[in-house]
Amino acid sequence: MQDFGDTAAATPLRIGVAGLGNVGATLVRILQKDAAELTKKLGRQIVVTAVAARSRSRDRGIDISGLDWFDDPVALAKSDGIDLFVELIGGEDGPAFAAVKAALEMGRPVVTANKALLAKHGVTLARMAEESGAQLGFEAAVAGGIPVIKTLREGLGSARIAKVYGIMNGTCNYILTRMGNEEISFAECLKDAQALGYAEADPTFDVEGFDTAHKLSILATLCFGYEIAPDKIHVEGISKITQHDIKVAADLGYKIKLLGIAQRSDDGIEQRVHPTFVPKGSAIAGVDGVMNAVALETDHVHELLLAGPGAGGPPTAASVMSDILDIARGTRVPPLGVPSEELLPFRQAPMRAHEGGYYIRLNAKDVPGALAAIATRMGERSISIDSVIQRSDLKAKDSTDDGVSTRTVVMITQKTLEADVRAALAQIRADGFIVGEPQLIRIELL
Amino acid sequence: MQDFGDTAAATPLRIGVAGLGNVGATLVRILQKDAAELTKKLGRQIVVTAVAARSRSRDRGIDISGLDWFDDPVALAKSDGIDLFVELIGGEDGPAFAAVKAALEMGRPVVTANKALLAKHGVTLARMAEESGAQLGFEAAVAGGIPVIKTLREGLGSARIAKVYGIMNGTCNYILTRMGNEEISFAECLKDAQALGYAEADPTFDVEGFDTAHKLSILATLCFGYEIAPDKIHVEGISKITQHDIKVAADLGYKIKLLGIAQRSDDGIEQRVHPTFVPKGSAIAGVDGVMNAVALETDHVHELLLAGPGAGGPPTAASVMSDILDIARGTRVPPLGVPSEELLPFRQAPMRAHEGGYYIRLNAKDVPGALAAIATRMGERSISIDSVIQRSDLKAKDSTDDGVSTRTVVMITQKTLEADVRAALAQIRADGFIVGEPQLIRIELL
């Protein structure tokens, strides 16, 4: 019978796991529990032989007594007792980076779930892996339990991707879903999310879109073959989304989702993370709560949606396992889809060149001529307005400082250049007919 | 630099394609057009060198003048001029089976899109491939452009799947979607589907669920590790679905989809294909028109949905290409996920042991006591009724032969054993209070 391992199929594959949080402990448990089944599947044994973590004595619900213990993950990565290094420490630099480098330098395969590390050092690490002949797997780094990395690297043949977008942060999706179902504010939802463990004590990284941006930068490289550019992303979070916005969206047949979007344009690659109006009937609109989803559009009108759990111990550990199994089988694929020397320098399409529909909410002063002045400024920039909404129940409660009352005006534009929308709004602000900052939410017709 | 092909990475991989229909012609076009890009990605050239089809002269929009021509696909499969054989002929036996066998017997890798062949001979072919050391890829055989085979074989780590279900026939989904959006009958929708090329002249294979059953049998084997059992599936098609059913479903918050479902139960594996009530808000309910979707549930409440095009030249060719690329890279994986000698004999859970909710539509005679008699029979089997609906606009137009008018009664049951529902309906039929066959549609709370 054919064996499905590499040349050393008869010998067991020895795994070292650095980081024993939720995912790490789950992984060790799976490797111990499913050992017999895995051996049958692979024709080769997979065993955890060593671990590294901060506290040796902490109860994690797993038995590590028979395993080699390392205080230093770098020492584990270099240890003679392992064949594959799993990095579940986290952090873009520090011990995670040092340990992954140490393993790859000696040609030892690495599996990591560390999106921050990949976003910052992915190209460097891919190059090291290719030079030393080691494999580098990171399925769990983006959209935890969804096999999106494998699909992009191996599953699409030579289909050319035109656009990738997704819901990649469970905290944001949970908050927006609850705001859509109940009449509660962003702040209240955030508090609940924190109580439920869906949001960190300092939620900035999640709710302001930076976590999504990291993941998007990795996906964009796999899709378009450019170097990873996590700093060249237009990022807006969800903290300014109000019940006004949610309700108007619902009335117009939309839901608001925080999307990460990357697409080819004439000017380069657009990378953007922002709250987005998506049509209620679209597949991505149905992805609610802590679920994640990634969608792809290819040149051949070939749309693909992958939806599933974005985090959690078992799903994330399952993704780490799938990388381990690929390595055990001897699968070889360039970490970033194409050999790193073929990656193109990133060319960022300016956000001002983005074209799309816009939802604009303004607090217009309740004085004669205000609406006319606003409409005139939009017209000067050739912005076509699809609809204007002034619902009494959405009326701004506040009055301006000088005692002028305001009313909420919502405009939906047709396809428009972002530069024109920004210029018109700057002019409207300068005219003095509005109070506060306009709310601007992009519309995607997915 | 590391190379990502097999040991013969420097030599080109020569492809022979048998069958030049829509998918075959698209594949040849892609291989010719993207040659340079593929070489860069793989570090190895991929070239079509030979083709086989019925008519040599037919215009397919591709240039085959430089390729070796074979009238006989078996001769192509065995030819010295190819390293990999692609079978796009179709049919469960005949030349497709003969050619695939011929290639595998000599250790030559095969890629096929042929679900009927796989459903009938998959285990035999997997065994042959394992014995000769050849790879066998069939990503395109199920849900054309969706990478579901790769995900099941490689992408889930060791996660144990509890249930797999999906919309796997575009013809049926198109018809049900249109019936849901417009007030037209099954027959009218089918005619339109035929005119648009979404349905065959003889639509039986699609609309009666057999195509879905083939695909389901392949997925079930990959999910549960049993032998493929396409004949051990409870199959019902969509031809008896009426606007009554569609409307009541909508009123109750459901859509009707033709699902293929396989799940573990205490009695073995349930494999079933039937029209299904799915909650409107569920992800699978959003998969409309000719789109397909496959969903997985693992033991860890780890749900995954993959949605995309189920057919069409470019998506299907892209899936064929992904298999070709895996083989070019030297990826080795057992065709059916586990080595074929590890496959368990299939153990079918009887449909009568299925438990779920049911939609039951009856034409009850409009005579005193009819409804009471029906309700009594349900009660005798301990079937709890969630709701009874008698809408005047859904009143049956027909009268019975003996001049008795009827009224449509719809009942929704709570979770019930299928054996009990069937027994109650048999009794109700015997009592003589209903006319015609009851309509029975299963409800899944996905």
Side-chain angles (χ1 to χ4, degrees):
Chain A
M1 207 203 79
Q2 183 183 5
D3 68 66
F4 294 96
D6 64 10
T7 45
T11 61
L13 184 77
R14 298 165 304 163
I15 314 268
V17 179
L20 292 176
N22 185 11
V23 177
T26 306
L27 177 69
V28 171
R29 192 179 309 118
I30 290 174
L31 281 165
Q32 291 176 339
K33 188 174 62 72
D34 297 348
E37 206 162 325
L38 287 167
T39 304
K40 221 158 65 170
K41 200 167 170 175
L42 285 168
R44 179 175 186 185
Q45 221 186 326
I46 300 184
V47 273
V48 196
T49 52
V51 291
R54 250 179 271 176
S55 153
R56 188 164 188 172
S57 56
R58 199 180 127 203
D59 181 17
R60 302 174 174 96
I62 51 170
D63 178 13
I64 57 168
S65 58
L67 310 180
D68 291 338
W69 175 269
F70 288 83
D71 290 311
D72 175 13
V74 177
L76 169 58
K78 290 179 173 174
S79 149
D80 284 343
I82 66 167
D83 305 304
L84 186 157
F85 177 65
V86 178
E87 184 275 303
L88 300 170
I89 304 165
E92 62 183 18
D93 289 302
F97 186 37
V100 169
K101 268 197 306 192
L104 292 178
E105 263 165 11
M106 56 196 287
R108 176 164 291 166
V110 171
V111 175
T112 174
N114 190 333
K115 69 220 170 218
L117 174 71
L118 263 296
K120 184 163 180 190
H121 300 295
V123 177
T124 305
L125 296 175
R127 194 172 300 129
M128 289 177 68
E130 290 163 21
E131 275 165 11
S132 71
Q135 284 293 294
L136 172 61
F138 51 93
E139 185 60 75
V142 180
I146 309 175
V148 60
I149 303 296
K150 182 177 262 295
T151 298
L152 289 172
R153 276 205 306 213
E154 309 166 26
L156 294 172
S158 62
R160 193 189 311 269
I161 296 168
K163 184 173 184 174
V164 59
Y165 60 92
I167 295 171
M168 291 177 271
N169 184 276
T171 308
C172 290
N173 206 39
Y174 170 83
I175 291 173
L176 291 173
T177 300
R178 280 208 57 196
M179 287 180 75
N181 293 339
E182 302 164 52
E183 290 208 7
I184 45 181
S185 68
F186 168 80
E188 281 172 273
C189 285
L190 174 59
K191 216 183 289 169
D192 286 354
Q194 285 169 324
L196 287 162
Y198 295 157
E200 308 279 337
D202 176 359
T204 313
F205 192 68
D206 289 315
V207 302
E208 296 306 346
F210 302 116
D211 172 72
T212 302
H214 272 167
K215 294 165 179 168
L216 180 68
S217 70
I218 299 169
L219 292 188
T221 288
L222 287 165
C223 290
F224 305 122
Y226 287 79
E227 286 175 357
I228 307 175
D231 300 331
K232 290 173 181 161
I233 304 184
H234 174 89
V235 183
E236 295 172 27
I238 63 165
S239 59
K240 286 180 192 144
I241 300 295
T242 67
Q243 276 292 336
H244 284 193
D245 305 324
I246 299 269
K247 272 185 212 144
V248 173
D251 281 358
L252 295 169
Y254 293 95
K255 275 179 161 185
I256 301 180
K257 296 288 185 190
L258 183 75
L259 296 190
I261 304 169
Q263 67 190 111
R264 293 178 194 275
S265 85
D266 294 341
D267 307 299
I269 304 289
E270 260 188 52
Q271 291 190 141
R272 49 199 168 91
V273 172
H274 52 67
T276 313
F277 272 43
V278 298
K280 257 185 202 163
S282 64
I284 201 133
V287 176
D288 279 336
V290 293
M291 296 279 282
N292 279 17
V294 174
L296 307 168
E297 291 175 14
T298 73
D299 286 351
H300 306 300
V301 204
H302 171 169
E303 274 193 50
L304 205 61
L305 178 83
L306 313 179
T316 310
S319 286
V320 172
M321 272 301 299
S322 84
D323 281 338
I324 293 176
L325 294 183
D326 276 350
I327 290 168
R329 284 187 200 106
T331 300
R332 295 168 82 194
V333 60
L336 297 175
V338 295
S340 57
E341 63 180 15
E342 302 284 353
L343 291 172
L344 304 166
F346 186 79
R347 194 160 64 92
Q348 183 177 22
M351 199 58 202
R352 304 175 65 84
H354 169 72
E355 268 194 307
Y358 292 83
Y359 157 96
I360 300 164
R361 175 169 55 78
L362 305 165
N363 280 335
K365 289 184 186 168
D366 202 3
V367 296
L371 195 59
I374 290 167
T376 302
R377 291 308 187 188
M378 303 294 277
E380 283 169 5
R381 293 282 168 174
S382 310
I383 298 169
S384 297
I385 305 294
D386 226 35
S387 46
V388 176
I389 301 156
Q390 265 189 273
R391 271 173 43 175
S392 57
D393 62 323
L394 298 182
K395 203 164 178 177
K397 282 171 237 134
D398 341 348
S399 294
T400 62
D401 287 343
D402 46 351
V404 182
S405 70
T406 63
R407 54 175 65 201
T408 301
V409 177
V410 168
M411 291 177 290
I412 305 291
T413 76
Q414 292 182 3
K415 197 170 179 184
T416 301
L417 199 63
E418 174 128 348
D420 286 330
V421 173
R422 291 196 193 175
L425 289 179
Q427 197 73 61
I428 288 165
R429 218 187 282 108
D431 288 343
F433 283 112
I434 64 167
V435 177
E437 282 299 303
Q439 173 77 297
L440 188 75
I441 305 179
R442 292 166 195 86
I443 301 170
E444 295 278 330
L445 299 174
L446 306 171
Chain B
M1 207 203 79
Q2 183 184 5
D3 69 68
F4 294 96
D6 65 9
T7 45
T11 61
L13 183 77
R14 298 164 306 162
I15 314 267
V17 180
L20 291 177
N22 185 10
V23 177
T26 306
L27 177 68
V28 171
R29 191 179 309 118
I30 289 173
L31 281 166
Q32 291 176 338
K33 188 173 63 68
D34 296 349
E37 206 161 324
L38 286 167
T39 305
K40 222 159 60 171
K41 201 166 169 177
L42 285 168
R44 180 174 185 186
Q45 221 185 325
I46 300 184
V47 271
V48 196
T49 51
V51 291
R54 249 178 271 175
S55 154
R56 187 163 189 172
S57 55
R58 197 179 128 204
D59 180 17
R60 301 174 174 94
I62 50 171
D63 179 14
I64 57 167
S65 58
L67 310 180
D68 291 337
W69 175 268
F70 288 81
D71 289 310
D72 175 13
V74 177
L76 169 58
K78 292 179 173 175
S79 148
D80 284 344
I82 67 168
D83 305 304
L84 186 158
F85 177 65
V86 178
E87 185 274 303
L88 300 170
I89 303 164
E92 61 184 18
D93 289 301
F97 186 38
V100 169
K101 269 198 303 191
L104 293 178
E105 264 164 12
M106 54 196 289
R108 176 165 290 166
V110 170
V111 175
T112 174
N114 190 333
K115 71 223 167 213
L117 174 72
L118 263 296
K120 184 163 181 191
H121 301 293
V123 177
T124 306
L125 296 175
R127 193 171 300 129
M128 290 177 67
E130 289 163 21
E131 277 166 10
S132 71
Q135 284 293 293
L136 172 61
F138 51 92
E139 185 60 73
V142 180
I146 308 176
V148 60
I149 304 295
K150 182 177 263 296
T151 298
L152 288 172
R153 277 204 307 213
E154 308 167 27
L156 293 173
S158 62
R160 192 189 312 269
I161 296 168
K163 184 172 184 175
V164 59
Y165 59 91
I167 295 171
M168 292 178 270
N169 183 277
T171 307
C172 291
N173 206 39
Y174 170 82
I175 291 173
L176 290 173
T177 301
R178 279 208 58 197
M179 286 179 75
N181 293 339
E182 301 163 55
E183 290 208 6
I184 46 180
S185 69
F186 169 79
E188 281 172 273
C189 285
L190 175 59
K191 215 182 292 170
D192 285 355
Q194 286 169 322
L196 288 162
Y198 293 157
E200 308 280 336
D202 177 359
T204 313
F205 192 70
D206 288 317
V207 302
E208 295 307 344
F210 302 114
D211 172 73
T212 301
H214 272 168
K215 294 166 179 168
L216 180 68
S217 69
I218 299 169
L219 292 188
T221 288
L222 287 165
C223 289
F224 304 122
Y226 287 78
E227 287 175 356
I228 308 175
D231 300 330
K232 289 173 182 162
I233 305 183
H234 175 88
V235 183
E236 295 172 28
I238 63 165
S239 59
K240 285 180 191 144
I241 299 295
T242 67
Q243 277 293 334
H244 285 191
D245 305 324
I246 300 268
K247 270 184 213 144
V248 173
D251 280 359
L252 296 169
Y254 293 95
K255 275 179 159 184
I256 301 179
K257 296 288 185 189
L258 183 75
L259 296 191
I261 304 170
Q263 67 190 112
R264 292 178 195 276
S265 86
D266 294 341
D267 307 299
I269 303 290
E270 259 187 51
Q271 292 189 141
R272 47 198 169 92
V273 172
H274 51 68
T276 314
F277 272 43
V278 297
K280 256 185 202 165
S282 64
I284 201 132
V287 176
D288 279 336
V290 293
M291 295 280 281
N292 280 16
V294 175
L296 308 167
E297 290 176 13
T298 74
D299 286 350
H300 305 301
V301 205
H302 170 171
E303 275 193 48
L304 205 60
L305 178 84
L306 313 180
T316 310
S319 286
V320 172
M321 272 302 299
S322 83
D323 282 338
I324 294 176
L325 296 182
D326 275 350
I327 291 169
R329 284 186 201 106
T331 300
R332 295 168 81 194
V333 62
L336 297 175
V338 295
S340 55
E341 61 180 18
E342 303 284 354
L343 290 172
L344 304 167
F346 185 79
R347 194 160 65 93
Q348 183 178 23
M351 198 59 200
R352 303 175 65 83
H354 170 71
E355 268 196 306
Y358 293 82
Y359 158 97
I360 300 165
R361 175 168 54 79
L362 305 165
N363 280 335
K365 289 185 187 168
D366 203 2
V367 295
L371 195 57
I374 291 167
T376 303
R377 291 308 188 188
M378 303 293 277
E380 283 168 5
R381 295 280 168 176
S382 308
I383 299 169
S384 297
I385 305 294
D386 227 36
S387 45
V388 176
I389 300 156
Q390 264 189 272
R391 271 173 44 175
S392 57
D393 61 322
L394 297 182
K395 206 166 176 174
K397 280 170 238 131
D398 340 349
S399 293
T400 63
D401 288 342
D402 46 353
V404 182
S405 70
T406 63
R407 54 175 64 201
T408 301
V409 177
V410 168
M411 290 176 291
I412 305 291
T413 78
Q414 292 183 3
K415 199 171 178 184
T416 301
L417 199 64
E418 174 128 349
D420 286 330
V421 173
R422 291 198 196 174
L425 289 180
Q427 197 70 62
I428 288 166
R429 217 187 283 109
D431 288 343
F433 284 112
I434 64 166
V435 176
E437 282 297 303
Q439 173 78 296
L440 188 76
I441 306 179
R442 291 169 196 85
I443 302 171
E444 295 278 330
L445 298 175
L446 307 171

